[in-house]
Amino acid sequence: GAGVSQSPSNKVTEKGKDVELRCDPISGHTALYWYRQSLGQGLEFLIYFQGNSAPDKSGLPSDRFSAERTGGSVSTLTIQRTQQEDSAVYLCASSRGHANTEAFFGQGTRLTVV
Amino acid sequence: GESVGLHLPTLSVQEGDNSIINCAYSNSASDYFIWYKQESGKGPQFIIDIRSNMDKRQGQRVTVLLNKTVKHLSLQIAATQPGDSAVYFCAEKGGGYQKVTFGTGTKLQVIP
């Protein structure tokens, strides 16, 4: 596609349920990022995938959070046993990895845990 | 470093005035820098970038200045307009496959 696509755009879930958020990066982009953004706050880094290298998971806030990137393309961020503090916008971005070019962001998934 | 749990600082500017948004970056080895604009309800969008072998780059109404000595980056917006109201993030990247690292962000409010 022309840009980074995220789905769903909005997700409301009950506390304790698991959720999966999807990111389709720009074709050919080897680098993929997940960020979390709470209302009125900055970008909180979660995880970084680059090609076939082991992902940088240093930003994941707890073991309830995990992410996969299958075939070097689509990525899924999974949050298990959701808590109210997980409510935020989850943003995905992709880039050409080694190249000094910008990362392109999707529109985000707004997650609300009730 | 990464912005975590921090409320954004706000810069209020009168319409028509120039805006200057500042950013201190953390990694002296970073060689590529980017400014992003995030409007309400949208993902951040690229505005302008600069490589470490430059100290100034100009775009349409925007100028980025890089001072590697003090690890400082600034974004200047000329003749600020209401449509410039947004959150602005600086970002840095090292060479090779190092990840892009975002700054805290600054909220720009344009007063009509």
Side-chain angles (χ1 to χ4, degrees):
Chain A
V4 177
S5 177
Q6 291 188 246
S7 60
S9 54
N10 282 283
K11 176 73 176 177
V12 180
T13 190
E14 291 182 351
K15 178 181 174 181
K17 300 284 190 183
D18 297 351
V19 294
E20 285 189 352
L21 312 180
R22 178 186 168 105
C23 173
D24 283 85
I26 294 173
S27 178
H29 280 191
T30 60
L32 188 146
Y33 304 78
W34 282 99
Y35 292 89
R36 179 168 70 175
Q37 188 174 36
S38 299
L39 188 63
Q41 296 189 4
L43 299 172
E44 179 185 2
F45 167 76
L46 297 177
I47 189 167
Y48 167 58
F49 295 92
Q50 169 51 51
N52 295 321
S53 302
D56 177 353
K57 303 181 182 179
S58 60
L60 295 177
S62 75
D63 58 9
R64 295 188 296 106
F65 288 73
S66 63
E68 291 185 342
R69 188 177 186 195
T70 54
S73 181
V74 171
S75 178
T76 302
L77 177 69
T78 301
I79 308 173
Q80 295 178 309
R81 306 181 301 281
T82 51
Q83 303 295 313
Q84 288 186 326
E85 60 263 29
D86 299 334
S87 296
V89 174
Y90 289 82
L91 289 160
C92 175
S94 72
S95 74
R96 294 212 311 253
H98 70 282
N100 279 344
T101 58
E102 72 271 28
F104 294 82
F105 281 82
Q107 296 287 43
T109 294
R110 181 175 297 278
L111 176 67
T112 305
V113 182
V114 299
Chain B
E2 300 289 354
S3 57
V4 179
L6 296 172
H7 284 279
L8 300 169
T10 300
L11 174 66
S12 295
V13 175
Q14 203 74 34
E15 182 179 357
D17 287 352
N18 297 334
S19 302
I20 300 176
I21 301 170
N22 295 305
C23 176
Y25 65 91
S26 57
N27 186 355
S28 58
S30 292
D31 61 4
Y32 177 62
F33 304 87
I34 318 156
W35 279 100
Y36 286 87
K37 174 185 181 183
Q38 186 180 27
E39 296 176 293
S40 181
K42 298 182 179 180
Q45 291 190 304
F46 170 87
I47 304 174
I48 191 168
D49 59 4
I50 188 168
R51 286 165 173 72
S52 60
N53 61 351
M54 304 171 69
D55 54 20
K56 180 179 180 180
R57 190 171 187 210
Q58 289 185 293
Q60 186 177 14
R61 281 202 308 121
V62 294
T63 301
V64 55
L65 299 178
L66 174 63
N67 185 330
K68 295 182 288 294
T69 302
V70 295
K71 293 191 288 187
H72 184 267
L73 195 65
S74 68
L75 178 71
Q76 300 178 358
I77 304 173
T80 313
Q81 302 169 359
D84 295 328
S85 293
V87 175
Y88 291 82
F89 293 97
C90 67
E92 60 183 298
K93 183 183 180 298
Y97 291 97
Q98 292 189 45
K99 70 178 187 283
V100 175
T101 302
F102 283 83
T104 306
T106 298
K107 183 175 182 179
L108 177 64
Q109 289 183 331
V110 181
I111 304 164

